[in-house]
Amino acid sequence: MARTKQTPKKCAERTAPQRKLRAQTSNQKSRRYRPGTVAIREIRRYQKSSNLLLPKAPFRTLVRKIIDTKFNKELKLQSTAILALQEAAEAHL
């Protein structure tokens, strides 16, 4: 068989298949990352941030309940002491 020279296609013929490809890619599943990739990304994000992970009010009530049950009396705590406990607890996690 003899080879024939390919003629260039018109622009109108090129745009139609590209539109179909774009439509197919938008309907495809979302990207699936390897195990651990997203976890490492979250760890790096939380290490960069300085805000607390646990809400302050529920942590404060938890600390007060633990102190009440442990010492059988109501002790007053400074807000800075509770904040230091919370930062230490989150650093431990």
Side-chain angles (χ1 to χ4, degrees):
M1 294 182 74
R3 291 188 177 182
T4 58
K5 189 175 182 179
Q6 293 182 351
T7 58
K9 296 180 182 180
K10 295 181 182 178
C11 287
E13 294 175 2
R14 287 185 188 166
T15 56
Q18 288 176 354
R19 288 182 190 153
K20 288 180 183 177
L21 285 175
R22 287 184 193 142
Q24 289 174 353
T25 56
S26 65
N27 293 338
Q28 289 179 351
K29 293 181 182 177
S30 62
R31 172 119 166 81
R32 178 112 174 128
Y33 293 99
R34 298 181 72 189
T37 305
V38 178
I40 289 173
R41 192 184 320 139
E42 287 178 355
I43 289 169
R44 288 181 182 148
R45 184 182 74 196
Y46 288 131
Q47 284 178 343
K48 284 181 186 177
S49 69
S50 61
N51 55 351
L52 297 171
L53 301 175
L54 301 171
K56 290 182 181 179
F59 186 81
R60 185 181 340 120
T61 55
L62 177 69
V63 169
R64 289 185 192 276
K65 284 182 183 179
I66 291 172
I67 289 174
D68 288 343
T69 57
K70 199 73 169 169
F71 297 109
N72 293 330
K73 57 182 172 180
E74 192 171 326
L75 297 175
K76 292 183 179 180
L77 293 172
Q78 292 180 352
S79 61
T80 56
I82 295 175
L83 183 62
L85 280 171
Q86 186 171 1
E87 287 178 1
E90 289 185 4
H92 182 70
L93 292 176

